[in-house]
Amino acid sequence: MLSLSKKIDYALLALSYLAHKPYRAANTKEIAEEYALPVELLAKILQKLAKAEILVSTSGPTGGYRLLLAPEKISVGAIVDIIEGRPALVQCMRSDSHSCDQIQKCTIRTPLMRVNARMLDMLDEISLAEICKDETESHLVTIPLLVRS
Amino acid sequence: MLSLSKKIDYALLALSYLAHKPYRAANTKEIAEEYALPVELLAKILQKLAKAEILVSTSGPTGGYRLLLAPEKISVGAIVDIIEGRPALVQCMRSDSHSCDQIQKCTIRTPLMRVNARMLDMLDEISLAEICKDETESHLVTIPLLVRS
DNA sequence: CTATATCCGACTAATCTAATCGGAGATGAT
DNA sequence: ATCATCTCCGATTAGATTAGTCGGATATAG
């Protein structure tokens, strides 16, 4: 219910990891171990991101993935889109299934589409940079506490 | 993935039906037939809404449900909350499960909580009245097309 | 040529959601 | 008073979605 899939979680974690290491390629195993994620699953996620040209991949030893765009240029909406397809509040708003089961008397479709649009807008407005930056913010919370005494 | 459950759909349909008939009680069967919904499932949904004092119920023949509040006073967020519990973008933000599986190195928790809060705010801002009103609005779209020739 | 990568489809397992079933407790109408 | 028609509630089954696994192909640095 209104939750992100684990795939999206994993994608965000991996992307934030890569955003912090822009100078070199990181491979699937390395990232999976960092966050204790299932390697094969993460692999497929990274493959999709590479195919969508969010990441570049290089094969062979010393290979791995690297961010292709600046974190500011990547939106959470785009990531969701790539990995799970465009989300929809209700099934009848998905690109595949056009018909509301048998509900032809549905009176709430139009307003719900507006809500749906608001949700998509929200996701598009959030950049990967925003998802990454808060390491520094939580440091700003921690350090004063250490300094206090 | 970021979708409402059918229970929520059914709840919104039922509530919009009741909003259009404020003068009398409607029973489960009547509403279920109107939208071709499974009766027993709808029954449980209405029961929850009644328990949460969104609806009042009266038993026996001629009984049924009636809206207790004006549609403007009921938010979609509240309905979601009653039927499925407070939604959360990721599991670790739910009131029950406090711990991120094994991911202690999670770097994205704080920013995601902010996104989560934005989503909840959005749901709280949308009233049942908004979900109901668009019958008239979609008429405003249709009529000019008919008038055109 | 070999070890280490990405890549990709098909499959199984686990979880979550939808729907059904059985039966108890009100209450208005006859 | 009893009967038909409701609400009410827990337990269970069925179905759909998501998570995770497996086997094998292709690329490449050393």
Side-chain angles (χ1 to χ4, degrees):
Chain A
M1 254 293 295
L2 291 176
S3 61
L4 296 172
S5 69
K6 289 199 177 182
K7 286 184 190 173
I8 303 293
D9 281 4
Y10 298 169
L12 293 175
L13 277 173
L15 287 169
S16 79
Y17 184 84
L18 289 169
H20 286 111
K21 318 231 186 244
Y23 43 86
R24 66 176 182 87
N27 67 44
T28 309
K29 200 181 160 208
E30 173 186 345
I31 303 172
E33 281 174 356
E34 172 72 11
Y35 301 111
L37 309 177
V39 193
E40 295 92 346
L41 185 53
L42 180 62
K44 300 181 80 170
I45 293 165
L46 295 175
Q47 282 157 31
K48 278 194 178 177
L49 292 172
K51 202 169 186 181
E53 300 185 319
I54 301 280
L55 303 177
V56 267
S57 65
T58 52
S59 290
T62 78
Y65 295 93
R66 196 185 289 254
L67 268 186
L68 193 54
L69 292 112
E72 293 79 18
K73 299 282 183 182
I74 306 170
S75 76
V76 173
I79 296 164
V80 169
D81 221 330
I82 289 160
I83 292 165
E84 305 278 15
R86 188 128 275 239
L89 278 185
V90 282
Q91 290 176 332
C92 65
M93 286 176 199
R94 281 165 54 170
S95 40
D96 36 329
S97 71
H98 292 287
S99 62
C100 299
D101 274 359
Q102 61 270 75
I103 307 165
Q104 297 311 337
K105 299 198 176 179
C106 178
T107 56
I108 62 176
R109 201 180 138 82
T110 315
L112 277 186
M113 284 186 72
R114 216 173 312 123
V115 178
N116 194 56
R118 283 183 65 181
M119 186 186 68
L120 296 180
D121 285 348
M122 196 184 86
L123 292 177
D124 287 341
E125 281 165 15
I126 301 160
S127 72
L128 178 60
E130 283 182 72
I131 301 294
C132 297
K133 75 178 173 190
D134 267 56
E135 279 320 274
T136 49
E137 279 202 16
S138 51
H139 284 177
L140 290 177
V141 173
T142 313
I143 292 167
L145 285 172
L146 292 173
V147 165
R148 201 175 40 167
S149 66
Chain B
M1 253 293 295
L2 291 175
S3 60
L4 296 171
S5 68
K6 288 198 177 179
K7 286 183 191 174
I8 303 292
D9 282 4
Y10 298 168
L12 293 175
L13 278 172
L15 287 170
S16 78
Y17 183 86
L18 289 169
H20 286 111
K21 317 229 187 249
Y23 42 87
R24 66 176 182 84
N27 68 42
T28 309
K29 201 180 159 209
E30 174 187 344
I31 303 173
E33 281 174 357
E34 172 72 10
Y35 302 111
L37 308 178
V39 194
E40 294 92 347
L41 185 52
L42 180 63
K44 300 182 82 167
I45 292 165
L46 295 175
Q47 283 157 29
K48 279 195 179 177
L49 292 171
K51 202 168 187 182
E53 298 185 323
I54 301 279
L55 302 177
V56 268
S57 64
T58 53
S59 291
T62 78
Y65 295 93
R66 195 186 288 254
L67 267 186
L68 194 53
L69 291 110
E72 293 78 19
K73 299 282 184 184
I74 306 170
S75 76
V76 172
I79 297 164
V80 169
D81 220 330
I82 289 160
I83 292 166
E84 304 278 15
R86 189 127 277 236
L89 278 185
V90 280
Q91 290 177 332
C92 66
M93 285 175 200
R94 282 165 54 170
S95 40
D96 35 331
S97 70
H98 292 288
S99 61
C100 301
D101 275 359
Q102 60 269 77
I103 307 166
Q104 297 310 336
K105 298 200 177 180
C106 179
T107 55
I108 62 176
R109 201 181 139 82
T110 316
L112 277 186
M113 284 186 74
R114 217 174 308 124
V115 178
N116 194 57
R118 284 183 65 180
M119 185 185 69
L120 296 179
D121 285 349
M122 195 183 87
L123 293 177
D124 287 340
E125 281 165 15
I126 301 160
S127 72
L128 179 60
E130 283 181 71
I131 301 293
C132 298
K133 75 178 171 191
D134 270 57
E135 279 321 275
T136 48
E137 279 202 16
S138 51
H139 285 177
L140 290 178
V141 174
T142 313
I143 292 167
L145 286 172
L146 292 172
V147 164
R148 203 175 39 167
S149 67

